[in-house]
Amino acid sequence: MMRTRPLKVALLGCGVVGSEVARIMTTHADDLAARIGAPVELAGVAVRRPQKVREGIPAELVTTDATALVKRGDVDVVVEVIGGIEPARTLITTAFEHGASVVSANKALLAEDGATLYAAAERHGRDLYFEAAVAGAIPLIRPLRESLAGDKVNRVLGIVNGTTNFILDKMERTGAGYTEALDEATALGYAEADPTADVEGFDAAAKAAILAGIAFHTRVRLDDVHREGLTEVTAADMASAQRMGCTVKLLAICERAADGRSVTARVHPAMIPLSHPLASVREAYNAVFVEAEAAGRLMFYGPGAGGAPTASAVLGDLVAVCRNKLAEATGPGESAYTQLPVSPMGEVVTRYHISLDVADKPGVLAQVATVFAEHGVSIDTVRQQGKDGEASLVVVTHRAPDAALSGTVEALRKLDTVRGVASIMRVEGE
C-alpha cells in the first residue's frame, strides 16, 4: 500500500544538474511514487540568484537561505548539487542533525573530507549517497559498495573525466596539438572557460580518491592521490603511441599492493594498448575497469557528465534513500576497516616510454643502456633513428619502481650524448 503523505526533498543548487533533478521529479512524479512507495515533492530550492526564472519551479519554493531550508524539521532528504567544500559541508552535516538524509554529487568534498560526512551520517542514523559524484550516469559507486561487497577488489582503472578524454581523442584522430584540441572542446561546451580542474587532473584525482576508498575499504583523501595533467602531452606523443599499437588516455588508477599491505591512487596520462577495452572509449565518454578476485574483470561505460546523465544518478540515489526512509533503515555507510596506508608514487611499479634526442654517433646506445642498468631498470624495447648527426632513441622499459625510473631519467639528462628528453610517459593496461 502506498503512503499518501509525501516525502519532502530540499534541493541545494539549481544549475545544470539541479534543474534537471527538479524537472525529472516533476515529470516522472507518478513513476517515482510507485517505485518508492510514497510520493515525493520539492520542499524548497536553495539558490544564489533568486531573480532568475526557473521553468517548472514555483517561485515560492525558491530561497537564498540554504541553512534555514536544511534545518526544517519536515525535510526528509536533502539533495546537494552546489559543489565545493563550504558551505556544502556545513549544510550537509546540519541536514543530518535535523533528521534528513543526504544525496550528494560533491566529489571535491567527499575526496577532501568524506570522513566527516560519514561520521555525521552515522551519528544521526541517516543515509549519505553519492553515486553522481563519480562518472555521471554510470552505476559505479553502488556496485562497488554493494554488488562487490563480498569480493576483493584489486584494481580500478578508469577514464573518469570526459573533457580530457575528448581532448586526447581529438589529438589522436586528427593529429591536432593540445591547444587546438582544447579550443574545440571549449567551443563545443565540453571544457569550462577555466579548464584547470579537468586538464590538470584535479577532477579525476578527487574521483580516484573516492573510488580507492570504497574499493579497498580504507580512507583515501585527495592529498593521497598522485596527480599529473595532460597539458604536456604532444602530437608527437600520440604518434609514438600509435607506432606502439597504443593510445594515450588520462587514467585514474587505484591498486592494491601485491602483498595486500598498502594501496596506491594516481592520475596521469598513460599509453594503453589498443587491445585494452579502455582504448575504444571515445569523445567525452567515461569508462571504469574493475578487477576483482572472484568476479574477474568488469567494465562500466557511459556518459560521465552533463545535466541529464548526472541527474539520473542523483534520482537513483533519491529513490534508494526514500525507500530506506520508509523502511526506517539506512544503507551502507563508510567501510574503512582495513586502514591500509597509501604508498607514495615513488613506490609504484610502472613501465615507461622515454623518447630521447641523442647524438648520432657510435656508443650512444651503450651509454644509455648502462644508465638504465645502474638504476636497476630493465629495457623491454629500443627504437633508434638517426640523420645528419642527430638521432632519436625511444626506450620502453619493463616494470620497475617509479622512483627508479625517475632517477634513470635524471641521470640520462646528464649524459653529454643526450641532447634532451623529448617525452616521458607511463605505459599501463597490459
Side-chain angles (χ1 to χ4, degrees):
M1 179 180 295
M2 181 178 293
R3 193 180 82 166
T4 57
R5 184 172 67 82
L7 293 164
K8 294 191 176 183
V9 178
L11 179 60
L12 307 183
C14 198
V16 173
V17 176
S19 59
E20 279 294 310
V21 170
R23 182 189 67 80
I24 295 172
M25 284 185 63
T26 301
T27 58
H28 295 179
D30 291 342
D31 286 336
L32 290 172
R35 295 166 190 172
I36 292 169
V40 291
E41 68 174 29
L42 278 175
V45 182
V47 299
R48 287 185 297 175
R49 294 184 293 275
Q51 68 276 11
K52 180 179 178 181
V53 177
R54 293 172 172 84
E55 186 177 348
I57 299 177
E60 62 269 20
L61 293 183
V62 176
T63 178
T64 57
D65 193 344
T67 300
L69 180 58
V70 300
K71 283 184 175 180
R72 282 176 47 175
D74 63 336
V75 170
D76 296 289
V77 183
V78 170
V79 174
E80 183 272 310
V81 288
I82 58 177
I85 307 302
E86 288 292 354
R89 174 170 47 200
T90 298
L91 290 170
I92 289 173
T93 54
T94 301
F96 290 141
E97 291 167 3
H98 287 79
S101 290
V102 173
V103 173
S104 175
N106 196 332
K107 55 185 173 289
L109 176 56
L110 287 159
E112 179 67 30
D113 197 16
T116 293
L117 305 186
Y118 277 124
E122 182 177 2
R123 185 164 58 251
H124 297 285
R126 305 301 167 192
D127 273 326
L128 173 64
Y129 276 54
F130 48 89
E131 185 68 64
V134 180
I138 304 172
L140 184 59
I141 301 300
R142 194 170 292 120
L144 284 173
R145 286 216 292 184
E146 300 178 30
S147 302
L148 295 174
D151 207 340
K152 180 181 180 182
V153 175
N154 291 317
R155 195 177 196 220
V156 180
L157 175 75
I159 299 164
V160 295
N161 183 275
T163 300
T164 53
N165 200 58
F166 179 89
I167 291 170
L168 291 171
D169 187 43
K170 178 70 176 179
M171 292 174 69
E172 179 187 33
R173 291 192 182 201
T174 68
Y178 164 75
T179 302
E180 182 183 348
L182 173 59
D183 288 344
E184 181 168 345
T186 303
L188 293 172
Y190 291 121
E192 301 287 345
D194 179 2
T196 303
D198 293 324
V199 300
E200 293 293 354
F202 290 101
D203 175 84
K207 295 170 183 176
I210 295 169
L211 291 174
I214 297 171
F216 307 134
H217 304 278
T218 197
R219 284 183 180 169
V220 179
R221 298 180 69 249
L222 181 59
D223 290 346
D224 296 321
V225 182
H226 174 83
R227 176 192 54 79
E228 298 172 28
L230 54 74
T231 56
E232 300 301 319
V233 177
T234 65
D237 292 327
M238 307 301 290
S240 292
Q242 289 177 337
R243 284 192 291 270
M244 287 180 60
C246 292
T247 188
V248 177
K249 299 292 185 183
L250 185 76
L251 298 179
I253 306 169
C254 312
E255 294 179 306
R256 188 190 301 268
D259 62 7
R261 296 180 180 177
S262 64
V263 299
T264 60
R266 50 197 164 103
V267 168
H268 54 71
M271 295 181 180
I272 58 172
L274 293 175
S275 58
H276 194 281
L278 291 178
S280 63
V281 179
R282 299 292 185 184
E283 298 285 332
Y285 277 75
N286 284 192
V288 178
F289 203 70
V290 177
E291 299 178 12
E293 199 166 87
R297 296 183 172 186
L298 309 170
M299 183 166 164
F300 302 84
Y301 170 84
T310 306
S312 171
V314 170
L315 267 295
D317 279 351
L318 179 63
V319 169
V321 169
C322 286
R323 286 172 174 170
N324 290 344
K325 194 84 173 181
L326 292 179
E328 298 183 347
T330 55
E334 182 182 30
S335 176
Y337 71 92
T338 63
Q339 299 183 19
L340 296 172
V342 182
S343 296
M345 186 64 194
E347 296 178 12
V348 175
V349 177
T350 64
R351 296 178 66 200
Y352 265 27
H353 173 282
I354 306 170
S355 180
L356 305 171
D357 294 327
V358 299
D360 187 12
K361 63 182 183 180
V364 174
L365 180 57
Q367 286 184 324
V368 169
T370 297
V371 170
F372 278 90
E374 288 174 347
H375 287 80
V377 178
S378 176
I379 295 175
D380 183 13
T381 62
V382 178
R383 186 177 71 253
Q384 186 173 14
Q385 295 176 323
K387 184 178 180 181
D388 299 329
E390 297 296 328
S392 64
L393 196 64
V394 177
V395 179
V396 179
T397 73
H398 286 292
R399 290 170 63 83
D402 198 80
L405 289 161
S406 298
T408 301
V409 172
E410 291 306 309
L412 289 171
R413 294 182 194 274
K414 297 176 182 179
L415 292 178
D416 293 338
T417 51
V418 175
R419 311 298 193 205
V421 179
S423 69
I424 308 168
M425 190 168 296
R426 295 177 183 87
V427 182
E428 299 284 348
E430 298 94 337

